[in-house]
């Protein structure tokens, strides 16, 4: 039963990254639209959705606190600086989306477009780097606890995971935003070029993650398998997109983002917070809540998650076409 709660946490985080990759990608691409009408249209493709997508992260944080209370404190302590960067970028991204329309001035809107792009980049790269460090295992600090050292952040495997998240988000964002632009328009053509450039990059990056994962992780076969499956999904997404089925292409194209949390579990099994030396690692058995708390979570949280998933499906059905309907 302990593994179930740990796997559910991974599922919630994977769902958040898969959905928010659309928002990250559109945000990074916003400043490159030449006309204000095109930038406004791109913004409308994600404004109705990004708050609903963030519910998955809120659910992840709440379940982490309830089901793995020890792990929450250890993770926040070990990754406090990367998490602080991601948290600041999260606030700035949301502020940019809301404040952009507060004034009509061109300079005001362009400034927030730049803030949006930068914050979206930090969010995508930050989550990729955090998960990459967790896959590889953290250092042991002078106090004897796990810590994300500078060497962990700048390790090639960590940087590759960050690049994978950024490239995956750019491709997802370009596909998603293009759906809301008129056929044959120059912005749609520009987004198509982003998709064509990011696709081969996204085919190469999982191969590099697999190669470095063989050398840098404790479970090379599992890590390589997941990374190569993500590569295959991107290839399938590209083939499906060529037939005009953008929805299925987006679903398959989310594989690199979903692969990142999966890599953590594949590399470390039931070790919630792993170190490279194995010392002071946090096992699932030492991080999980007591049985009474888990029983209460099962009664309250699981039905709530079903309702959240149903509400999310409804929300997407209602609002996905907003960018197409409004000029």
């Amino acid at each position: 039963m302990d593994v179930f709660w740990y796997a559910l946490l991974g599922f919630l985080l994977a769902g958040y990254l898969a959905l928010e990759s659309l928002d990250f990608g559109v945000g990074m691409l916003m400043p490159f639209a030449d006309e204000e009408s095109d930038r406004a249209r791109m913004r409308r493709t994600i404004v109705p959705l990004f708050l609903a997508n963030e519910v998955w992260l809120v659910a992840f944080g709440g379940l982490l606190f309830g089901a793995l209370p020890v792990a929450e404190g250890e993770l926040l302590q070990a990754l406090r600086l990367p998490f602080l960067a991601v948290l600041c970028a999260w606030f700035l991204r949301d502020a940019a989306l809301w404040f952009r329309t507060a004034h009509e001035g061109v300079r005001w809107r362009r400034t927030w477009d730049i803030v949006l792009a930068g914050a979206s980049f930090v969010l995508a790269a930050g989550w990729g780097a955090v998960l990459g460090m967790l896959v590889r295992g953290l250092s042991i600090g002078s106090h004897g606890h796990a810590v994300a050292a500078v060497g962990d952040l700048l390790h090639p495997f960590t940087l590759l995971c960050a690049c994978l998240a950024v490239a995956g988000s750019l491709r997802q964002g370009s596909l998603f935003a293009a759906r809301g632009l008129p056929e044959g328009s120059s912005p749609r053509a520009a987004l198509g070029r982003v998709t064509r450039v990011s696709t081969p990059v996204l085919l190469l990056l999982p191969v590099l993650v697999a190669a470095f994962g063989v050398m840098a992780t404790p479970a090379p076969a599992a890590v390589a398998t997941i990374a190569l499956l993500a590569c295959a999904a991107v290839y399938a997404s590209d083939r499906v997109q060529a037939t005009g089925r953008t929805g299925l292409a987006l679903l398959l194209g989310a594989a690199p983002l979903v692969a990142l949390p999966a890599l953590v579990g594949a590399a470390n099994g039931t070790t919630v917070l792993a170190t490279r030396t194995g010392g002071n690692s946090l096992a699932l058995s030492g991080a999980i809540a007591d049985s009474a708390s888990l029983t209460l979570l099962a009664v309250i949280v699981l039905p709530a998650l079903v309702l959240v998933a149903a509400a999310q499906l409804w929300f997407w059905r209602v609002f996905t076409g907003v960018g197409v309907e409004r000029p």
Side-chain angles (χ1 to χ4, degrees), residues 43-76:
R43 174 185 173 275
R44 287 196 297 267
T45 63
I46 59 174
V47 164
L49 302 173
F50 76 98
L51 290 175
N53 296 341
E54 288 171 352
V55 170
W56 290 78
L57 183 60
V58 174
F60 168 81
L63 187 61
L64 179 63
F65 177 78
L68 280 79
V70 177
E72 185 208 21
E74 292 288 337
L75 285 168
L76 290 177

Side-chain angles (χ1 to χ4, degrees), residues 34 42 45-46 51 63-64 80 84 92 133 138 149 203 205 217-218 221 238 267 278 282 291 296 301 307-308 313:
D34 293 329
M42 288 176 65
T45 63
I46 59 174
L51 290 175
L63 187 61
L64 179 63
R80 55 190 179 277
L84 180 61
L92 284 172
M133 287 188 286
L138 301 179
L203 289 171
L205 283 172
T217 62
D238 182 56
L282 180 62
S291 57
L296 182 62
V301 173
L307 292 175
V308 167
L313 287 172

Side-chain angles (χ1 to χ4, degrees), residues 266-324:
N268 301 312
T270 56
T271 301
V272 178
L273 182 60
T275 61
R276 291 196 306 282
T277 62
N280 292 327
S281 294
L282 180 62
L284 179 60
S285 58
I288 199 75
D290 59 85
S291 57
S293 298
L294 293 178
T295 300
L296 182 62
L297 282 175
V299 172
I300 297 176
V301 173
L302 294 182
L305 289 178
V306 173
L307 292 175
V308 167
Q312 185 99 40
L313 287 172
W314 174 84
F315 203 85
W316 271 73
R317 286 178 64 89
V318 171
F319 288 105
T320 294
V322 165
V324 178

Side-chain angles (χ1 to χ4, degrees), residues 212-239:
F212 276 87
V214 169
M215 299 180 287
T217 62
V223 169
T225 299
I226 291 175
L228 293 176
L229 285 174
C231 179
V234 172
Y235 178 79
S237 173
D238 182 56
R239 295 297 87 205

Side-chain angles (χ1 to χ4, degrees), residues 71-96:
E72 185 208 21
E74 292 288 337
L75 285 168
L76 290 177
Q77 173 66 21
L79 296 162
R80 55 190 179 277
L81 293 180
F83 276 147
L84 180 61
V86 169
L87 187 64
C88 290
W90 183 12
F91 291 157
L92 284 172
R93 192 282 303 268
D94 287 14

Side-chain angles (χ1 to χ4, degrees), residues 130-158:
V130 164
L131 292 169
M133 287 188 286
L134 291 177
V135 172
R136 181 171 170 262
L138 301 179
S139 300
I140 300 291
S142 58
H143 46 64
H145 295 286
V147 64
V150 174
D152 298 326
L153 181 61
L154 299 180
H155 191 273
F157 183 80
T158 303

